[in-house]
Amino acid sequence: GENVEQHPSTLSVQEGDSAVIKCTYSDSASNYFPWYKQELGKRPQLIIDIRSNVGEKKDQRIAVTLNKTAKHFSLHITETQPEDSAVYFCAATADSSYKLIFGSGTRLLVRP
Amino acid sequence: DTEVTQTPKHLVMGMTNKKSLKCEQHMGHRAMYWYKQKAKKPPELMFVYSYEKLSINESVPSRFSPECPNSSLLNLHLHALQPEDSALYLCASSQDNPTNEQYFGPGTRLTVT
């Protein structure tokens, strides 16, 4: 089955710097890759997603890149702000499956 | 309405109790999910309902019993739980498959004493 690995487990950056979180997946059939942000005590919320027919997607300060050949995808946050502090989960799934497989999470701390 | 609601927010129950968690969505989604989340861990899939039929049971112990009374409602019946079942239980929904965005509810914080 699918396995998703996520790194780093914790990331501390200065406000205004960029943050990058990386994930690798194992199942070449996976074709949908969402990123969720979960603040302490809150629900996971989708912040951006990418499908396998696209190499990059951007939404304001957030971007995701996908390398299908290497089976990895990354989240890029530019001009980080303290409110970006949260746990970020990557995930992967395929059309043929109802199972969304999550990475282990990255705790991002943005220092003011 | 792009919201999934869950009740109760918090639940404390003894190991001999029977209780139910409830989830509701009015987005017309046909797939609904139960996840369990322990502290500092990702959500762990328990059950998936597609078009009101159970399509995935991730080998969950029978003390957890899901029910989908209609396309908007999802219940999780709890009986004879163990302290290790204490966790955040999240409900989610999506259009008919998970390659569409999954919307999560706020969760029920369950403590088993």
Side-chain angles (χ1 to χ4, degrees), chain A residues 36 38 43 51 95 97-98, chain B residues 37 50 96 98-99 102 104:
Chain A
Y36 284 86
Q38 189 173 25
R43 73 187 80 191
R51 298 181 189 275
D95 278 333
S97 170
Y98 276 97
Chain B
Q37 188 177 28
S50 172
D96 50 9
T99 60
Q102 285 193 30
F104 283 86

Side-chain angles (χ1 to χ4, degrees), chain A residues 23-98:
Chain A
C23 289
T24 59
Y25 62 99
S26 60
D27 187 352
S28 55
S30 290
N31 61 351
Y32 175 63
F33 307 92
W35 286 88
Y36 284 86
K37 174 183 180 183
Q38 189 173 25
E39 297 176 55
L40 192 62
K42 301 280 182 69
R43 73 187 80 191
Q45 290 201 290
L46 183 78
I47 55 171
I48 196 165
D49 56 11
I50 192 166
R51 298 181 189 275
S52 57
N53 58 349
V54 175
E56 183 174 0
K57 185 175 177 180
K58 200 170 181 182
D59 182 3
Q60 300 182 358
R61 297 186 297 108
I62 294 173
V64 57
T65 58
L66 171 65
N67 182 326
K68 283 172 54 179
T69 304
K71 293 193 192 137
H72 66 70
F73 56 113
S74 301
L75 178 71
H76 304 254
I77 306 174
T78 58
E79 300 170 25
T80 53
Q81 301 166 3
E83 51 265 38
D84 294 329
S85 296
V87 178
Y88 291 81
F89 293 103
C90 63
T93 191
D95 278 333
S96 57
S97 170
Y98 276 97

Side-chain angles (χ1 to χ4, degrees), chain B residues 58-87:
Chain B
E58 286 288 278
S59 303
V60 178
S62 59
R63 58 186 184 268
F64 295 91
S65 174
E67 179 196 18
C68 189
N70 60 54
S71 60
S72 300
L73 292 174
L74 188 65
N75 298 322
L76 186 63
H77 303 297
L78 314 173
H79 174 54
L81 294 193
Q82 304 296 311
E84 58 265 29
D85 296 322
S86 299

